[in-house]
Coordinates of all heavy atoms in Angstrom, one line a residue:
M1 N -136.9 -174.2 33.3 CA -135.5 -174.6 32.9 C -135.2 -174.0 31.6 O -136.1 -173.9 30.7 CB -135.4 -176.1 32.9 CG -133.9 -176.5 33.3 SD -133.5 -178.0 32.5 CE -134.2 -179.2 33.6
A2 N -134.0 -173.5 31.4 CA -133.6 -173.0 30.1 C -133.6 -174.0 29.0 O -133.4 -175.2 29.3 CB -132.3 -172.3 30.2
N3 N -133.9 -173.6 27.8 CA -133.8 -174.5 26.6 C -134.9 -175.6 26.7 O -134.8 -176.6 26.0 CB -132.5 -175.2 26.5 CG -131.4 -174.2 26.1 OD1 -131.7 -173.1 25.5 ND2 -130.2 -174.4 26.5
Q4 N -135.9 -175.4 27.5 CA -137.0 -176.4 27.6 C -138.0 -176.1 26.5 O -138.5 -175.0 26.5 CB -137.6 -176.3 29.0 CG -138.4 -177.5 29.3 CD -137.5 -178.7 29.7 OE1 -136.3 -178.6 29.7 NE2 -138.1 -179.8 30.0
P5 N -138.3 -177.0 25.7 CA -139.3 -176.8 24.6 C -140.6 -176.5 25.3 O -141.0 -177.0 26.3 CB -139.3 -178.1 23.8 CG -138.1 -178.8 24.2 CD -137.7 -178.3 25.6
T6 N -141.4 -175.7 24.6 CA -142.8 -175.4 25.1 C -143.7 -176.6 24.9 O -143.5 -177.5 24.1 CB -143.4 -174.2 24.3 OG1 -143.1 -174.3 23.0 CG2 -142.8 -172.9 24.9
V7 N -144.7 -176.6 25.7 CA -145.7 -177.7 25.7 C -147.1 -177.1 25.4 O -147.4 -176.0 25.9 CB -145.7 -178.4 27.1 CG1 -146.8 -179.4 27.2 CG2 -144.3 -179.0 27.4
T8 N -147.8 -177.8 24.6 CA -149.2 -177.3 24.3 C -150.1 -177.5 25.5 O -149.8 -178.1 26.5 CB -149.7 -178.1 23.1 OG1 -149.8 -179.5 23.5 CG2 -148.9 -178.0 21.9
A9 N -151.3 -176.9 25.4 CA -152.2 -176.9 26.5 C -152.6 -178.3 26.8 O -153.0 -178.6 28.0 CB -153.5 -176.1 26.1
D10 N -152.6 -179.2 25.9 CA -153.0 -180.6 26.2 C -151.8 -181.5 26.5 O -151.9 -182.7 26.6 CB -153.8 -181.2 25.0 CG -153.1 -181.1 23.7 OD1 -152.0 -180.5 23.6 OD2 -153.5 -181.7 22.7
G11 N -150.6 -180.8 26.7 CA -149.5 -181.5 27.3 C -148.5 -182.1 26.3 O -147.6 -182.8 26.7
Y12 N -148.7 -181.8 25.1 CA -147.7 -182.3 24.1 C -146.6 -181.4 23.8 O -146.8 -180.1 23.8 CB -148.4 -182.6 22.8 CG -149.3 -183.8 22.8 CD1 -150.6 -183.7 23.1 CD2 -148.7 -185.1 22.6 CE1 -151.4 -184.9 23.2 CE2 -149.5 -186.2 22.7 CZ -150.8 -186.1 23.0 OH -151.6 -187.3 23.0
C13 N -145.4 -181.9 23.6 CA -144.2 -181.1 23.3 C -144.4 -180.6 21.9 O -144.8 -181.2 21.0 CB -143.0 -182.0 23.4 SG -141.5 -181.2 23.0
T14 N -144.0 -179.3 21.8 CA -144.1 -178.7 20.4 C -142.9 -178.8 19.6 O -142.9 -178.5 18.4 CB -144.4 -177.2 20.6 OG1 -143.4 -176.6 21.3 CG2 -145.7 -176.9 21.3
N15 N -141.8 -179.3 20.2 CA -140.6 -179.5 19.5 C -140.6 -180.7 18.5 O -141.1 -181.7 18.9 CB -139.4 -179.7 20.4 CG -138.1 -179.9 19.7 OD1 -137.7 -179.0 18.9 ND2 -137.4 -181.0 19.9
R16 N -140.2 -180.5 17.3 CA -140.1 -181.6 16.3 C -138.7 -181.9 15.8 O -138.5 -182.7 15.0 CB -141.0 -181.2 15.1 CG -142.5 -181.1 15.4 CD -143.1 -182.5 15.6 NE -144.5 -182.5 15.7 CZ -145.2 -182.2 16.8 NH1 -144.5 -181.9 17.9 NH2 -146.5 -182.2 16.8
T17 N -137.8 -181.2 16.4 CA -136.4 -181.3 15.9 C -135.6 -182.2 16.9 O -135.5 -181.9 18.1 CB -135.7 -180.0 15.8 OG1 -136.5 -179.1 15.1 CG2 -134.3 -180.1 15.2
P18 N -135.1 -183.4 16.4 CA -134.4 -184.3 17.3 C -133.1 -183.7 17.7 O -132.5 -182.8 17.0 CB -134.2 -185.5 16.4 CG -134.4 -185.1 15.0 CD -135.3 -183.9 15.0
V19 N -132.6 -184.1 18.9 CA -131.3 -183.7 19.3 C -130.3 -184.2 18.4 O -130.3 -185.4 18.1 CB -131.0 -184.2 20.8 CG1 -129.6 -183.8 21.2 CG2 -132.0 -183.6 21.7
Q20 N -129.4 -183.3 17.9 CA -128.4 -183.8 16.9 C -127.5 -184.9 17.4 O -127.0 -184.9 18.6 CB -127.5 -182.6 16.5 CG -126.9 -182.7 15.1 CD -126.4 -181.4 14.7 OE1 -126.0 -180.5 15.5 NE2 -126.3 -181.2 13.4
G21 N -127.4 -185.9 16.6 CA -126.5 -187.0 17.0 C -127.2 -188.1 17.7 O -126.6 -189.2 18.0
T22 N -128.5 -188.0 18.1 CA -129.2 -189.0 18.8 C -130.0 -189.9 17.9 O -130.5 -190.9 18.3 CB -130.2 -188.4 19.8 OG1 -131.2 -187.6 19.2 CG2 -129.4 -187.5 20.8
A23 N -130.2 -189.5 16.6 CA -131.0 -190.4 15.7 C -130.3 -191.7 15.5 O -129.1 -191.8 15.3 CB -131.2 -189.7 14.4
R24 N -131.1 -192.7 15.6 CA -130.5 -194.1 15.4 C -131.6 -195.0 14.9 O -132.8 -194.7 15.1 CB -129.9 -194.7 16.6 CG -130.9 -195.0 17.8 CD -130.9 -193.9 18.8 NE -131.6 -194.2 20.0 CZ -132.0 -193.3 20.8 NH1 -131.8 -192.0 20.6 NH2 -132.7 -193.7 21.9
T25 N -131.2 -196.1 14.4 CA -132.2 -197.0 13.9 C -132.3 -198.2 14.8 O -131.2 -198.7 15.2 CB -131.8 -197.5 12.4 OG1 -131.7 -196.4 11.6 CG2 -132.8 -198.5 11.9
A26 N -133.4 -198.6 15.1 CA -133.6 -199.8 16.0 C -133.0 -201.0 15.4 O -133.3 -201.3 14.2 CB -135.1 -200.0 16.3
N27 N -132.2 -201.7 16.2 CA -131.6 -202.9 15.7 C -132.1 -204.0 16.7 O -131.6 -204.1 17.8 CB -130.1 -202.9 15.7 CG -129.5 -204.1 15.1 OD1 -130.2 -205.1 14.9 ND2 -128.2 -204.0 14.7
T28 N -133.1 -204.8 16.3 CA -133.6 -205.8 17.2 C -133.1 -207.2 16.9 O -133.6 -208.1 17.5 CB -135.2 -205.8 17.1 OG1 -135.5 -206.1 15.7 CG2 -135.7 -204.4 17.4
A29 N -132.1 -207.2 16.1 CA -131.5 -208.5 15.8 C -131.0 -209.1 17.1 O -130.3 -208.5 17.8 CB -130.4 -208.4 14.8
G30 N -131.4 -210.3 17.4 CA -130.9 -211.0 18.6 C -132.0 -210.9 19.7 O -131.9 -211.6 20.7
L31 N -133.0 -210.0 19.6 CA -134.0 -209.9 20.6 C -135.2 -210.9 20.3 O -136.0 -211.1 21.1 CB -134.6 -208.5 20.6 CG -133.6 -207.4 21.1 CD1 -134.3 -206.1 21.0 CD2 -133.2 -207.7 22.5
G32 N -135.1 -211.5 19.2 CA -136.2 -212.5 18.9 C -137.3 -211.9 18.0 O -137.4 -210.7 17.9
S33 N -138.1 -212.8 17.5 CA -139.2 -212.4 16.6 C -140.2 -211.4 17.3 O -140.9 -210.7 16.6 CB -139.9 -213.6 16.1 OG -140.5 -214.3 17.1
K34 N -140.3 -211.5 18.6 CA -141.2 -210.6 19.3 C -141.0 -209.2 19.0 O -141.9 -208.3 19.0 CB -141.1 -210.9 20.8 CG -142.1 -210.1 21.6 CD -141.9 -210.5 23.1 CE -142.8 -209.6 24.0 NZ -142.6 -209.9 25.4
F35 N -139.7 -208.8 18.7 CA -139.4 -207.4 18.5 C -139.1 -207.1 17.0 O -138.8 -206.0 16.7 CB -138.1 -207.1 19.3 CG -138.4 -207.2 20.8 CD1 -138.0 -208.3 21.5 CD2 -139.0 -206.1 21.5 CE1 -138.2 -208.4 22.8 CE2 -139.2 -206.2 22.8 CZ -138.8 -207.4 23.5
S36 N -139.2 -208.1 16.2 CA -138.8 -207.9 14.8 C -139.7 -206.8 14.1 O -139.2 -206.2 13.2 CB -138.9 -209.2 14.0 OG -140.2 -209.7 14.0
R37 N -140.9 -206.6 14.6 CA -141.7 -205.6 13.9 C -141.1 -204.2 14.1 O -141.5 -203.2 13.4 CB -143.1 -205.7 14.4 CG -143.3 -205.3 15.8 CD -144.7 -205.7 16.3 NE -144.8 -205.5 17.7 CZ -145.1 -204.3 18.3 NH1 -145.3 -203.3 17.6 NH2 -145.2 -204.2 19.6
L38 N -140.3 -204.0 15.1 CA -139.7 -202.7 15.4 C -138.4 -202.5 14.6 O -137.9 -201.4 14.6 CB -139.4 -202.6 16.9 CG -140.6 -202.7 17.8 CD1 -140.1 -202.7 19.3 CD2 -141.5 -201.5 17.6
H39 N -137.9 -203.6 14.0 CA -136.6 -203.5 13.4 C -136.7 -202.5 12.2 O -137.6 -202.4 11.4 CB -136.2 -204.9 12.8 CG -134.8 -204.9 12.4 ND1 -133.8 -204.9 13.2 CD2 -134.3 -205.0 11.1 CE1 -132.6 -204.9 12.5 NE2 -132.9 -205.0 11.2
G40 N -135.6 -201.7 12.1 CA -135.5 -200.7 11.1 C -136.1 -199.4 11.3 O -136.0 -198.5 10.5
R41 N -136.9 -199.2 12.4 CA -137.5 -198.0 12.7 C -136.4 -197.0 13.2 O -135.5 -197.4 13.9 CB -138.6 -198.1 13.7 CG -139.8 -198.9 13.1 CD -141.0 -198.9 14.0 NE -141.4 -197.5 14.4 CZ -142.3 -197.2 15.3 NH1 -143.0 -198.2 15.8 NH2 -142.7 -196.0 15.5
S42 N -136.7 -195.7 12.9 CA -135.7 -194.7 13.4 C -136.2 -194.0 14.6 O -137.4 -193.7 14.8 CB -135.5 -193.7 12.3 OG -134.9 -194.3 11.2
Y43 N -135.3 -193.7 15.5 CA -135.6 -193.0 16.8 C -134.6 -191.9 17.0 O -133.5 -191.9 16.5 CB -135.6 -194.0 18.0 CG -136.5 -195.1 17.9 CD1 -136.2 -196.3 17.3 CD2 -137.8 -195.0 18.4 CE1 -137.1 -197.4 17.2 CE2 -138.7 -196.0 18.4 CZ -138.4 -197.2 17.7 OH -139.3 -198.2 17.7
A44 N -135.1 -190.9 17.8 CA -134.2 -189.9 18.3 C -134.7 -189.3 19.6 O -135.8 -189.6 20.0 CB -134.1 -188.8 17.2
D45 N -133.8 -188.5 20.2 CA -134.2 -187.9 21.5 C -134.6 -186.5 21.3 O -134.2 -185.8 20.3 CB -133.0 -188.0 22.5 CG -132.6 -189.4 22.8 OD1 -133.4 -190.3 22.5 OD2 -131.5 -189.5 23.3
C46 N -135.4 -186.0 22.2 CA -135.9 -184.6 22.2 C -135.3 -183.8 23.3 O -135.0 -184.4 24.4 CB -137.4 -184.6 22.3 SG -138.1 -182.9 22.3
P47 N -135.0 -182.5 23.1 CA -134.4 -181.7 24.2 C -135.3 -181.7 25.5 O -134.8 -181.3 26.5 CB -134.3 -180.3 23.6 CG -134.5 -180.5 22.1 CD -135.2 -181.8 21.9
C48 N -136.6 -182.0 25.3 CA -137.5 -182.0 26.5 C -137.1 -183.1 27.5 O -137.6 -183.2 28.6 CB -138.9 -182.1 26.1 SG -139.4 -183.7 25.5
G49 N -136.3 -184.1 27.0 CA -135.9 -185.2 27.9 C -136.5 -186.5 27.5 O -136.1 -187.5 28.0
R50 N -137.4 -186.5 26.6 CA -138.0 -187.7 26.1 C -137.0 -188.4 25.2 O -136.4 -187.8 24.4 CB -139.3 -187.4 25.3 CG -140.1 -188.6 25.0 CD -141.0 -189.0 26.1 NE -141.9 -190.1 25.8 CZ -143.0 -190.4 26.4 NH1 -143.4 -189.6 27.4 NH2 -143.7 -191.4 26.1
K51 N -136.9 -189.7 25.4 CA -136.0 -190.5 24.6 C -136.7 -191.4 23.6 O -137.8 -191.9 23.9 CB -135.1 -191.4 25.6 CG -134.5 -190.6 26.7 CD -133.3 -189.8 26.2 CE -132.5 -189.2 27.4 NZ -131.5 -188.2 27.0
A52 N -135.9 -191.7 22.6 CA -136.4 -192.8 21.7 C -137.8 -192.5 21.1 O -138.7 -193.3 21.1 CB -136.3 -194.1 22.3
I53 N -137.9 -191.3 20.6 CA -139.2 -190.9 19.9 C -139.1 -191.3 18.4 O -138.0 -191.1 17.8 CB -139.5 -189.4 20.0 CG1 -139.4 -189.0 21.5 CG2 -140.8 -189.1 19.4 CD1 -139.1 -187.6 21.7
G54 N -140.1 -191.9 17.9 CA -140.1 -192.3 16.5 C -139.9 -191.1 15.6 O -140.4 -190.0 15.9
L55 N -139.2 -191.3 14.5 CA -139.1 -190.2 13.5 C -140.0 -190.5 12.3 O -140.1 -191.7 11.9 CB -137.6 -190.2 13.0 CG -136.6 -189.7 14.0 CD1 -135.2 -189.9 13.4 CD2 -136.8 -188.3 14.3
N56 N -140.6 -189.5 11.7 CA -141.4 -189.7 10.5 C -140.5 -189.6 9.3 O -139.3 -189.5 9.4 CB -142.6 -188.7 10.5 CG -142.1 -187.3 10.3 OD1 -141.0 -187.0 9.9 ND2 -142.9 -186.3 10.7
G57 N -141.1 -189.7 8.2 CA -140.4 -189.8 6.9 C -139.5 -188.6 6.6 O -138.5 -188.7 5.9
T58 N -139.8 -187.5 7.2 CA -139.0 -186.3 6.9 C -138.0 -186.0 8.0 O -137.4 -185.0 8.1 CB -139.9 -185.1 6.8 OG1 -140.7 -184.9 7.9 CG2 -140.8 -185.2 5.6
G59 N -137.8 -187.0 9.0 CA -136.9 -186.8 10.0 C -137.3 -186.0 11.2 O -136.5 -185.5 12.0
S60 N -138.6 -185.7 11.3 CA -139.1 -185.0 12.4 C -139.7 -185.9 13.5 O -140.1 -187.0 13.2 CB -140.3 -184.0 12.0 OG -139.8 -183.1 11.0
L61 N -139.7 -185.5 14.7 CA -140.2 -186.3 15.8 C -141.7 -186.4 15.7 O -142.4 -185.5 15.4 CB -139.8 -185.7 17.1 CG -138.3 -185.5 17.4 CD1 -138.1 -184.6 18.6 CD2 -137.7 -186.9 17.7
Y62 N -142.2 -187.6 16.0 CA -143.6 -187.7 16.2 C -144.1 -187.0 17.4 O -143.3 -186.7 18.3 CB -144.0 -189.2 16.3 CG -144.0 -189.9 15.0 CD1 -143.2 -191.0 14.7 CD2 -145.0 -189.6 14.0 CE1 -143.2 -191.7 13.5 CE2 -145.0 -190.2 12.8 CZ -144.2 -191.3 12.6 OH -144.2 -191.9 11.4
R63 N -145.4 -186.7 17.5 CA -145.9 -186.0 18.6 C -145.7 -186.8 19.9 O -145.9 -188.0 19.9 CB -147.5 -185.8 18.4 CG -148.0 -184.8 19.3 CD -149.4 -184.4 18.7 NE -150.4 -185.3 19.2 CZ -151.6 -184.9 19.6 NH1 -151.9 -183.6 19.7 NH2 -152.5 -185.8 20.0
H64 N -145.3 -186.2 20.9 CA -145.0 -186.8 22.1 C -145.2 -185.9 23.3 O -145.3 -184.7 23.1 CB -143.5 -187.3 22.1 CG -142.6 -186.2 22.0 ND1 -142.3 -185.6 20.8 CD2 -141.9 -185.5 22.9 CE1 -141.4 -184.6 21.0 NE2 -141.2 -184.5 22.3
K65 N -145.3 -186.5 24.5 CA -145.3 -185.7 25.7 C -144.0 -185.7 26.4 O -143.4 -186.8 26.5 CB -146.4 -186.2 26.6 CG -147.8 -186.0 26.1 CD -148.9 -186.5 27.1 CE -150.3 -186.1 26.5 NZ -151.3 -186.6 27.4
P66 N -143.6 -184.6 27.0 CA -142.3 -184.6 27.7 C -142.5 -185.5 29.0 O -143.6 -185.6 29.4 CB -142.1 -183.1 28.1 CG -143.4 -182.4 27.8 CD -144.2 -183.2 26.9
P67 N -141.4 -186.0 29.5 CA -141.5 -186.9 30.7 C -142.0 -186.1 31.9 O -141.6 -184.9 32.0 CB -140.1 -187.4 30.8 CG -139.2 -186.4 30.1 CD -140.0 -185.9 29.0
Q68 N -142.8 -186.7 32.7 CA -143.3 -186.1 33.9 C -142.2 -186.2 35.0 O -141.5 -187.2 35.2 CB -144.5 -186.7 34.4 CG -145.6 -186.7 33.4 CD -146.1 -185.3 33.1 OE1 -146.3 -184.5 34.0 NE2 -146.2 -185.0 31.8
E69 N -142.0 -185.1 35.7 CA -141.0 -185.1 36.8 C -141.6 -185.5 38.1 O -142.7 -185.4 38.4 CB -140.4 -183.7 36.9 CG -139.7 -183.3 35.6 CD -139.0 -182.0 35.8 OE1 -137.9 -182.0 36.5 OE2 -139.4 -181.0 35.3
Ligands
ZN1 ZN1 -140.1 -183.1 23.3

């Protein structure tokens, strides 16, 4: 497929750039204390189709594997 990020030999996506406009911060208010540890974390989507990947301090995606079809 066009625009598909490459994948390393061990299956990890090489893309580190989030899809523009998808970055958001987890808002777990109302979900209860069970989820409070996730509150305030940033997530974004990757062009490989993976959603809600954590962002590191510099705004890059954490290492992830593209979804299996
Ligand atoms: Zn990816």
Side-chain angles (χ1 to χ4, degrees):
M1 210 209 278
N3 294 331
Q4 199 74 358
T6 41
V7 175
T8 60
D10 55 352
Y12 284 96
C13 179
T14 58
N15 179 58
R16 291 288 188 277
T17 307
V19 178
Q20 205 166 25
T22 62
R24 67 262 190 196
T25 303
N27 186 347
T28 60
L31 293 179
S33 58
K34 184 180 175 184
F35 298 97
S36 62
R37 65 190 173 85
L38 298 172
H39 189 72
R41 290 187 57 182
S42 295
Y43 297 90
D45 297 345
C46 179
C48 72
R50 190 84 176 198
K51 307 284 187 191
I53 305 154
L55 292 174
N56 65 21
T58 56
S60 298
L61 298 168
Y62 279 117
R63 197 165 83 134
H64 61 278
K65 290 183 176 180
Q68 302 296 313
E69 297 187 72

